[in-house]
Amino acid sequence: MPETDVYLRTLRRAAELIGNEEALAHRLNVTPSHLALWIAGVEKPPTYVFLRAVDLVSEREFPKN
């Protein structure tokens, strides 16, 4: 599986969990246009953005009890 697939799947899942791409962009403190490029696979997101998206997905998918 190419590395970019992990970025795309994570960002798409985070957007789904947060509500939409605009809400995710706001939550990640990035512009919606940058997020759109990353989700489309045109560019690779910065590592810190990807890791924040991983945190969001992890928090929602695996909540702490």
Side-chain angles (χ1 to χ4, degrees):
M1 169 177 46
E3 180 182 274
T4 54
D5 287 353
V6 174
Y7 293 106
L8 298 175
R9 286 185 295 126
T10 301
L11 290 171
R12 288 176 182 160
R13 183 65 179 142
E16 181 180 298
L17 292 169
I18 297 298
N20 57 48
E21 289 181 23
E22 187 172 333
L24 178 60
H26 179 72
R27 185 77 178 265
L28 296 175
N29 199 31
V30 299
T31 64
S33 59
H34 278 106
L35 182 62
L37 291 173
W38 302 330
I39 285 180
V42 175
E43 294 182 5
K44 181 176 156 185
T47 301
Y48 78 93
V49 171
F50 172 69
L51 292 176
R52 288 165 79 187
V54 168
D55 285 343
L56 288 171
V57 171
S58 296
E59 288 170 5
R60 301 286 175 110
E61 297 282 346
F62 309 107
K64 294 179 183 177
N65 294 355

